[in-house]
Amino acid sequence: ALRQLSKNRLRLWLRLIKSTRLVEDEVRRRLRGDFGTTLPRFDVMSALSRAPDGLKMKDISRLLRVSNGNITGIVDKLVEDGLVLRIIPPQDRRTQIIQFTDRGRQEFETLAQTHESWIDEILGGLNADDVDGMIRRLDHLVHALEERQ
């Protein structure tokens, strides 16, 4: 029975990965096709949208679980496109705070609304009970995993 449970946990893990990849691939395709943008860029903008006062580069990296190097190129392009500013606080000249411009915030709001409608469509085969049950179970999984850290 323990051996079977072990096998089933592995099957669960593989299904979690597959379902995530399928949704991500479709979102990537749509971001590229409809907006000429990328998922990592969307993720950086999403992190900034939850921080009205901006974020330090290291905080963006930590939130997205990627290296500072990965974030730097994305932020450089967002600055170049006029969507974010790099603010250097006078009290710490080595730090950079990344903050939306008004245009950046507006552009992200449009992206976020479209993204939500895509996810609603992509997961449209799930009814309310499916969604609620999966959220409950995945919350339980996240809690269990966080307890281990």
Side-chain angles (χ1 to χ4, degrees):
L2 286 178
R3 182 83 181 120
Q4 188 56 48
L5 181 56
S6 175
K7 289 261 184 234
N8 283 343
R9 284 178 175 144
L10 178 59
R11 287 175 56 222
L12 170 61
W13 168 238
L14 295 173
R15 286 204 171 89
L16 287 169
I17 291 170
K18 183 176 184 177
S19 59
T20 300
R21 284 191 181 143
L22 287 168
V23 173
E24 273 190 1
D25 288 350
E26 181 62 15
V27 169
R28 283 178 200 279
R29 189 185 65 72
R30 291 181 186 204
L31 282 170
R32 195 170 33 256
D34 293 5
F35 292 97
T37 194
T38 64
L39 187 55
R41 181 175 162 121
F42 177 84
D43 289 342
V44 168
M45 293 175 80
S46 182
L48 289 171
S49 76
R50 295 186 294 276
D53 296 331
L55 289 170
K56 295 178 184 175
M57 294 286 282
K58 69 178 182 186
D59 294 331
I60 298 172
S61 298
R62 183 181 44 77
L63 284 168
L64 300 182
R65 297 175 185 215
V66 296
S67 73
N68 257 359
N70 289 6
I71 299 302
T72 301
I74 294 168
V75 169
D76 287 347
K77 189 78 173 93
L78 289 169
V79 169
E80 188 181 307
D81 293 346
L83 302 179
V84 303
L85 298 171
R86 277 194 169 96
I87 298 164
I88 300 178
Q91 67 275 19
D92 184 358
R93 312 287 298 157
R94 297 164 301 161
T95 300
Q96 294 181 357
I97 308 288
I98 311 306
Q99 197 172 57
F100 269 129
T101 61
D102 288 341
R103 186 170 141 235
R105 189 176 290 15
Q106 289 169 351
E107 194 166 301
F108 179 73
E109 283 174 19
T110 300
L111 266 173
Q113 288 169 358
T114 303
H115 177 265
E116 182 179 335
S117 71
W118 290 343
I119 298 299
D120 186 46
E121 178 193 332
I122 292 166
L123 300 182
L126 301 174
N127 67 30
D129 286 342
D130 293 334
V131 172
D132 291 342
M134 287 178 152
I135 287 173
R136 235 183 359 271
R137 286 173 181 89
L138 290 171
D139 282 348
H140 177 72
L141 173 61
V142 167
H143 179 75
L145 293 171
E146 287 175 343
E147 291 269 303
R148 299 187 69 178
Q149 292 183 346

